[in-house]
Amino acid sequence: MTRNVNNVEAAGQELMKWTKRGPKWNQAVRVCIACIADEMEPDEARKAFLAAAEEEGMLRANAGD
């Protein structure tokens, strides 16, 4: 199944659905929260989300392109 996440709020919601929660998941959640609070840029949330998805084996081969 493929999911399209196109904003910080959607990324945070998707992360909360995951059953595997490794270190990069934890970082991605923290970055999403910081972005929502205007403490970080959305691009940082994108990078963290992609890293978490890769860590969990959920990233499609071309998702980061």
Side-chain angles (χ1 to χ4, degrees), residues 5 9 11 16 20 22-23 25 29 33-35 40 47 50 62-63:
V5 176
E9 290 83 2
M16 292 292 109
K20 293 181 183 179
W25 175 90
V29 170
I33 291 169
C35 287
M40 294 186 85
K47 290 175 187 175
L50 289 172
N62 63 349

Side-chain angles (χ1 to χ4, degrees), residues 25-47:
W25 175 90
N26 189 27
Q27 179 65 21
V29 170
R30 291 176 185 273
V31 172
C32 285
I33 291 169
C35 287
I36 291 168
D38 289 328
E39 296 171 357
M40 294 186 85
E41 295 297 318
D43 191 51
E44 294 301 315
R46 179 181 178 274
K47 290 175 187 175

Side-chain angles (χ1 to χ4, degrees), residues 53-65:
E54 184 175 30
E55 177 182 63
E56 298 304 328
M58 300 171 80
L59 187 62
R60 286 181 45 178
N62 63 349
D65 295 343

Side-chain angles (χ1 to χ4, degrees), residues 3-21:
R3 299 212 191 279
N4 185 22
V5 176
N6 59 10
N7 62 56
V8 174
E9 290 83 2
Q13 290 173 356
E14 188 61 32
L15 287 165
M16 292 292 109
K17 296 176 186 176
W18 295 8
T19 56
K20 293 181 183 179
R21 297 181 173 185

